[in-house]
């Protein structure tokens, strides 16, 4: 099971308010696009992320939890690693 699916299945929304994971566009999309094979295209996943209302929360989660695989907040693992290096 992909990490994103695990996160989404563990997501507990507050009373009457959906968690950011439940509001994410990727939750309504094929998860395979967000975990491409090595060297595979990230284009489709990133297109979904551009229009997502919780993109910032997703990226924040990935950075805080050192997610090493998949597209999170519209960035690949390599892009997130570069972002973290610049922040240090």
């Amino acid at each position: 099971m992909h990490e994103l699916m695990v996160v989404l299945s563990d997501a507990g929304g507050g009373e009457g308010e959906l968690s950011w994971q439940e509001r994410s566009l990727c939750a309504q999309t094929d998860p395979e696009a967000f975990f491409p094979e090595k060297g595979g295209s990230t284009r489709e996943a990133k297109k979904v992320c551009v229009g997502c209302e919780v993109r910032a929360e997703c990226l924040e989660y990935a950075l805080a939890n050192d997610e090493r695989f998949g597209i999170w907040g519209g960035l690949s693992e390599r892009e997130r690693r570069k972002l973290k290096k610049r922040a240090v």
Side-chain angles (χ1 to χ4, degrees):
M1 181 181 256
H2 292 297
E3 291 178 47
L4 179 61
M5 296 305 291
V6 172
V7 169
L8 294 177
S9 66
D10 290 342
E15 293 287 323
E17 184 177 328
L18 294 175
S19 71
W20 70 263
Q21 293 102 332
E22 293 170 312
R23 296 189 334 260
S24 66
L25 291 178
C26 62
Q28 306 161 34
T29 310
D30 179 13
E32 295 296 319
F34 294 88
F35 294 91
E37 295 293 321
K38 187 172 178 90
S41 176
T42 61
R43 186 176 305 132
E44 290 304 312
K46 288 181 176 185
K47 277 202 277 191
V48 171
C49 293
V50 166
C52 186
E53 70 177 65
V54 295
R55 183 177 177 182
E57 291 94 330
C58 180
L59 180 57
E60 184 178 316
Y61 174 88
L63 294 171
N65 292 283
D66 198 29
E67 289 293 343
R68 295 182 186 229
F69 301 100
I71 305 301
W72 292 82
L75 299 180
S76 67
E77 190 273 329
R78 181 182 302 159
E79 293 164 328
R80 291 191 304 275
R81 195 169 49 237
K82 286 180 186 178
L83 184 63
K84 275 185 127 173
K85 283 183 182 180
R86 284 191 300 223
V88 174

